[in-house]
Amino acid sequence: MSELNVPVASFSPLYEQIKAMILASLQASEWLPGAAIPSEMELAARYAVSQGTVRKAIDELAAQNLLVRRQGKGTFVATHQEDDWQYRFLRLAPDSGEKFHLTNQFLVCANTKASPYIANLLKLKAGDAVIHIDRVQSFAGKPIVFEEIWLPGARFKGLDLEALNVWHGPVYAFYESQFATHMVRAEEKIKAVAADEVLAGHLHLPVGAPLLSVERVAFTYGNKPVEIRHARYDTSEQHYENKLN
């Protein structure tokens, strides 16, 4: 007698369902970056589950850096405006061990059309509107990073060079406050390159100087790509640091 191919019903633990509901509220901007979310007791009453179930859901979201627990204060939506989060996705660190603080100079902010490559990474159609940004970042007065950034034009409509240069905080905090876009994770590709004339000019280096090329795709809630960033790092006095668990 042959076995019957009976489909197995998918099962999602209750805390996973609560986690999905909390995440949906974050996606809908019910609780904005930096704001406190309701207490575990309030969320338990809201979803008609135990506090333990809510706690487990929040623990997982905190482990994913979407929420931040603060002892005696509650749980808050993660934000790139906090000092500890300003350079969350930046793995560049000074060899000297000094505290890292980068200053920005935005050179270009232009409306353009997505190339097939950029469109594919941003899940757009080739030719769709995108915003192209060039930026130089300096440490201790010395330029060490040149970046090209691409953003979906529809999401970041109205963004211009003046607004970028007036802003003095992290650019991801700018996206949060001005465009309700919170970066929650990123993927990177890294390789070594040599400085061409353009890069050498921006970074005050000789042509052919070694650089670290880092291409990043940053995602907001719902695993939606909303920024492409191609950075070239001068690592003569800096290094790329990554902690692996």
Side-chain angles (χ1 to χ4, degrees):
M1 181 173 166
S2 61
E3 294 184 2
L4 295 175
N5 292 320
V6 179
V8 178
S10 60
F11 172 75
S12 176
L14 186 55
Y15 79 89
E16 287 281 3
Q17 298 174 41
I18 302 306
K19 175 184 170 184
M21 292 178 187
I22 295 174
L23 184 57
S25 291
L26 293 173
Q27 289 177 295
S29 297
E30 180 178 349
W31 310 308
L32 298 175
I37 69 169
S39 69
E40 290 178 2
M41 184 180 297
E42 291 171 317
L43 290 173
R46 171 174 175 168
Y47 300 127
V49 297
S50 70
Q51 282 184 244
T53 298
V54 170
R55 186 175 302 116
K56 191 166 185 180
I58 290 175
D59 284 344
E60 289 219 344
L61 291 168
Q64 294 174 359
N65 295 313
L66 299 179
L67 298 176
V68 178
R69 290 188 181 277
R70 293 180 185 156
Q71 188 66 35
K73 295 183 178 179
T75 302
F76 296 77
V77 183
T79 173
H80 290 277
Q81 299 198 49
E82 294 182 15
D83 289 342
D84 292 344
W85 279 59
Q86 288 189 11
Y87 301 118
R88 177 186 164 200
F89 295 150
L90 181 65
R91 293 290 180 262
L92 199 64
D95 294 339
S96 63
E98 295 176 66
K99 185 176 176 60
F100 213 29
H101 178 71
L102 295 173
T103 56
N104 297 321
Q105 181 185 10
F106 291 94
L107 308 175
V108 172
C109 180
N111 293 298
T112 186
K113 294 181 179 180
S115 68
Y117 180 73
I118 294 298
N120 180 59
L121 291 178
L122 288 175
K123 306 302 181 188
L124 302 172
K125 295 179 181 177
D128 279 358
V130 293
I131 298 172
H132 174 225
I133 298 167
D134 285 348
R135 173 172 75 161
V136 172
Q137 291 185 290
S138 299
F139 175 59
K142 183 180 185 301
I144 62 169
V145 181
F146 175 74
E147 289 182 324
E148 295 176 281
I149 298 171
W150 292 267
L151 304 167
R155 178 180 283 266
F156 292 89
K157 191 173 183 179
L159 177 60
D160 59 27
L161 187 61
E162 181 180 2
L164 286 169
N165 277 316
V166 166
W167 181 264
H168 295 298
V171 71
Y172 285 167
F174 177 76
Y175 297 160
E176 284 180 3
S177 64
Q178 303 299 312
F179 295 95
T181 300
H182 180 56
M183 303 301 186
V184 299
R185 73 176 190 89
E187 297 176 356
E188 290 185 338
K189 295 179 180 178
I190 303 172
K191 66 180 179 179
V193 297
D196 59 17
E197 288 188 8
V198 173
L199 292 171
H202 285 307
L203 297 176
H204 302 175
L205 295 170
V207 173
L211 300 173
L212 193 65
S213 170
V214 180
E215 183 178 273
R216 177 192 302 167
V217 182
F219 299 79
T220 190
Y221 299 118
N223 210 33
K224 182 176 295 185
V226 286
E227 185 203 53
I228 309 302
R229 184 177 296 202
H230 188 191
R232 273 73 109 208
Y233 297 153
D234 171 12
T235 56
S236 57
E237 297 178 7
Q238 289 75 223
H239 59 272
Y240 189 90
E241 181 178 80
N242 199 8
K243 297 177 181 178
L244 304 177
N245 296 321

